[in-house]
Amino acid sequence: MSVFANQISPVKKGTGTENGHKQLSVVFYVIGALIALYGVFCYLIGDLQWSAFADRVATYKNAYNRFLETGKAMTFAEGFGYYTIKFSVVIILLGLLLILNGNMMHGQRWARYKDFICVMPALFCLALFVYYPLLDLVRISFTNWNLLKEDYKFVGIKNYKWLFDGSGWKNLKNTLIVTLRYTFWEVLFSLAGGLLLALLFNRMTRYFNALRALTFMPKYIATATSAIIFVWMLNGPHGFINWVLSLFKIVGPDWLADAKYALSGVLMLTFWRSVGYAMMIYLSAMKGIPQDYYEAASIDGADGVHCFRFITLPMLAPTTLFLLVTTFISSMKVFQSVDVMTSGGPHDATMVMVQWVYNLSFKDFRIDRAASASLVFFIILLGFTVLTMRYSNKSVNYDQ
Amino acid sequence: MKKLTALFLALLMVLTVSAAFADENPYAVTEPITIEWWHSNEDQYTDFIQELAAQFHEEYPLITVEPVYIGSGTVLAEKLIAAIQGDAVPAVSQVNVSYLAEYFDSGVCTDLEPYFEAYGIDKNDFVVGYRKTATREADGHMYSLPFLASTQVIYYNKTVVKDEGLTIPTKWEDMDAFMKAATKFNDDGTTARWAFVFGGWGTNYFETLFTNYGVEVIKEDGTCGLADPISIEITNQIKEWIDAGYAYWAYGSGSSGNMRQHFWDGEAVCVTHTCSLITTYRDKIAGAFEFDIAGFPAAPTGLAYTLLSGNHLVIPKKASQAQKNAGFVFANWVTSGEGSLRWAEVSGYMPGRYSAMQGEAYEALIEKTPAYEGLFANVDNIQPQDSRTYYASCTNEWMKSLALIFCEGAPVEETLKECAETINEILEDL
């Protein structure tokens, strides 16, 4: 280790150590490039079905299937071919990381290089489990894959045509409207409710501590568990909510079975779960507002409303932005509560985007269409987030 | 010396016979093996399943079965897909019938024909509708074994029917009279007791009510037939009953549970539900009143089909040959006559083979749950679900439209036309 450390410790121009770094980094560059290129080649012949090598790929796959069925071992060439094609993306990523490693070694000091080495495993996992699946969606969206069969075909923009110019359009439009409607109400209720509760509970007494804990507690309960309890509570003829309403001579609707009320039913659970979280974030932000401002304002004759309007609210703007963006993204991706409570029904009244994508993938076996819908959804989500951030950068004051 | 020679000859004979048998059956299990069985049978069956695995191990000491509860049918399907992609499949897996066609066509299940031949299993012993479901259309081979078969039935309150002199309709034409006779109203005109509750939360529950009549979801010319006059006529008829307060259409979250509760509370005379819940009905009613089950009323065409639901067992193609061999022995055992009758006893699922519907065990089952008798007598009226993969998407649109009509008061003709247009769009996009 010490030898290695000496080799790439503080770069001194024109010294032997620097030359050693460069030589070593070139080795990393070359090996990395070779591995990455081989990975790309494997990806081309495997995932992208480069027809010139179709027979070779089929031979490897047959050898592997024979191994699975009969236990007859593959030859080294067959095994190497099969596994490198199967793990082509891992190979590409390894190659890229080696190139990056060479680059860091070439131009950075040891301390920086050490930092890079530490983040390399995380970077690798991030690339493999987050960015690669995202990129692979693009490939799948141009195929007719059904999640099961090994042989799929590239079908061009057929899935996108279905989405924008076929029977998918009606569903896409409906799911976007439902998702945005859900998101709007969740963001509004969570932020407004959280802020109100934070104002109410912003006192450090024992009772308020207990109340704060009670309000925050739903966040700890698993969504599926809470959803099942809400399904019982919101049941039409036998539910708790309607029983309470009946005490006031009000006939409650069948919350989750009536298209007019189903989204409200789901939102009740959402609000119950998320308002405590927003409250806690607001509370911690409120603690950070200097008391001097309030004292100065009170000397100038400002009352509570003025203090809230001109001190608390503006000072909470960064927190509001944080909550807005995180709540927005999480509510656009809502799935579990909807899946348990309504599965998107009735009449698609709660068919949010992720539920639709899930149905396409695992109920209709149309992962190809699901991939195209997911990509469109991703672009919309990204667009909204960028717009929000841009707008907020202009209007949110981070100074204290 | 003679004794030794005799012993040697006897040993030789045993070895020769064993070898001969082994040669006859290339799929015989010859070495100890442990296999996984993925299933979706919930907690109430855990002890029974463990017992079953232990009993199987006693009969087949070379094979140890480890039952693994994966989750609901949908979760199991997801996990199985992942397992197939990751080459980490179980030897045997339960699969809901609605997924079978896609699995067969994708080539992920083992062809069972050679196993049937090796073990001398007569395919004609499988109930005809179940066999069709287990058969891949392209080659006519069976790729699964019917395991927990169920279908839709009418549960009716036998006590009310007897006391009030009602007759459960066996023909669609008798439905109107029954609706009027069995319904009871409160003083304010609201319904106190429904004559009939139609299951509308799943397409299985209503599809054959229409198709027996001649309605075609997808016609031979490839277009949707749901806006045809016959479909409009039946829909109008059901809507009339619902509007008059004789019946309701159970749809949406919790509707199945509410419908059951209405029946158990005596607020509905007839409900359409799956036969797999027969033991649940029996236990919940707990002698409060007598109940029985009946088949769907026959359409004027004479047809009284219902659809096959439930689960089959498949052996994933990616399992090793040894796993497949052991998996088949277990799957065959658990779906065979005695095995399936034991399931029927604890659940409500029907046996998948004709040979199970006879003998002492069968008689004992009928004695314990007499409602089974009528069900088994009509077993040939159970038809396989349409195996075309896009068919479920089409019937799902139909289900939503019918719920709009029956629950939200949407106009019949316009809604069905709109539904047919949507389905035609789906069909055009294939």
Side-chain angles (χ1 to χ4, degrees), chain A residues 46-206:
Chain A
D47 291 34
L48 296 185
Q49 299 180 352
W50 187 7
S51 57
F53 292 87
D55 291 346
R56 183 71 57 86
V57 175
T59 310
Y60 295 153
K61 280 186 178 171
N62 289 339
Y64 182 70
N65 286 334
R66 192 191 61 221
F67 161 69
L68 281 180
E69 286 179 22
T70 62
K72 190 182 171 191
M74 291 184 277
T75 62
F76 176 77
E78 286 168 343
F80 184 78
Y82 178 80
Y83 285 110
T84 50
I85 289 169
K86 190 169 175 105
F87 298 109
S88 58
V89 175
V90 177
I91 295 167
I92 295 172
L93 287 176
L94 275 175
L96 289 177
L97 278 179
L98 285 177
I99 294 171
L100 204 57
N101 185 54
N103 190 42
M104 293 299 284
M105 189 181 271
H106 187 80
Q108 302 296 334
R109 289 177 177 280
W110 165 241
R112 281 196 168 192
Y113 178 71
K114 202 167 58 177
D115 294 345
F116 175 72
I117 293 283
C118 289
V119 298
M120 243 170 77
L123 207 62
F124 178 74
C125 290
L126 200 69
L128 188 64
F129 296 116
V130 177
Y131 295 111
Y132 161 61
L134 194 64
L135 286 175
D136 205 41
L137 269 186
V138 180
R139 178 183 66 87
I140 295 170
S141 73
F142 291 108
T143 68
N144 67 348
W145 194 38
N146 73 344
L147 267 176
L148 286 167
K149 55 188 177 186
E150 283 185 4
D151 54 329
Y152 52 79
K153 287 194 181 89
F154 283 89
V155 293
I157 57 164
K158 195 178 173 189
N159 293 318
Y160 291 94
K161 267 182 87 176
W162 165 80
L163 194 61
F164 293 111
D165 193 29
S167 56
W169 173 242
K170 206 195 268 183
N171 292 319
L172 177 69
K173 206 168 62 178
N174 176 60
T175 49
L176 277 177
I177 291 170
V178 172
T179 311
L180 286 173
R181 197 182 288 161
Y182 173 89
T183 303
F184 173 77
W185 289 115
E186 183 185 348
V187 169
L188 185 71
F189 282 142
S190 301
L191 267 64
L195 183 60
L196 286 175
L197 286 174
L199 288 169
L200 187 68
F201 292 159
N202 193 16
R203 294 174 203 174
M204 285 295 125
T205 67
R206 204 190 319 161

Side-chain angles (χ1 to χ4, degrees), chain B residues 220-238:
Chain B
E220 271 183 26
D221 63 3
T223 60
C224 177
L226 292 177
D228 288 358
I230 187 72
S231 170
I232 293 170
E233 186 191 318
I234 305 164
T235 312
N236 268 324
Q237 173 66 86
I238 296 174

Side-chain angles (χ1 to χ4, degrees), chain A residues 64 69 167 341 348 358, chain B residues 78 85 87 253 321 400 429:
Chain A
Y64 182 70
E69 286 179 22
S167 56
M341 292 175 83
D348 293 343
Y358 171 84
Chain B
E78 280 171 40
Q85 290 305 322
D87 301 338
S253 177
Q321 192 55 51
K400 286 189 267 180
D429 275 343

